[in-house]
Amino acid sequence: AAGVDITAGYKAVELMKKHIEIEGMSCEHCVKAVKNVLEELGGTDITVDLSGGFAEAEISADDNKIIEAIAEEEFEVVKIENI
């Protein structure tokens, strides 16, 4: 099918840099758990700051998916901002 644009109608997956404030992280195990969740959601360039209580990542998943996935690890997302 030469000349057919198979991407027509599909929205490009856009990576957004997000700042995610998280409550409940208390140790390096928590940091790894959050990092793993963000990686599973397709996140890249991930930083998890234990003392600051936040994570940052280039990620395309919508905010609700991020909140749910982090909640499954027993942490609470306080807010998510695009940066």
Side-chain angles (χ1 to χ4, degrees):
V4 175
D5 183 1
I6 60 166
T7 61
Y10 288 95
K11 202 175 79 145
V13 175
E14 244 185 276
L15 287 176
M16 299 282 299
K17 183 79 171 179
K18 294 186 186 263
H19 176 89
I20 307 158
E21 290 187 22
I22 303 165
E23 278 184 358
M25 295 189 300
S26 59
C27 63
E28 285 303 315
H29 174 78
C30 301
V31 168
K32 282 196 182 84
V34 169
K35 189 170 198 276
N36 288 343
V37 165
L38 295 173
E39 284 175 349
E40 285 171 16
L41 291 173
T44 61
D45 192 21
I46 301 166
T47 305
V48 182
D49 187 310
L50 179 61
S51 60
F54 68 86
E56 290 181 351
E58 293 274 348
I59 194 162
S60 60
D62 74 44
D63 291 357
N64 289 332
K65 267 211 174 83
I66 295 169
I67 291 166
E68 283 174 24
I70 290 176
E72 283 177 18
E73 295 295 327
E74 307 294 316
F75 306 115
E76 183 184 352
V77 173
V78 179
K79 73 177 173 183
I80 299 178
E81 296 175 315
N82 294 336
I83 55 173

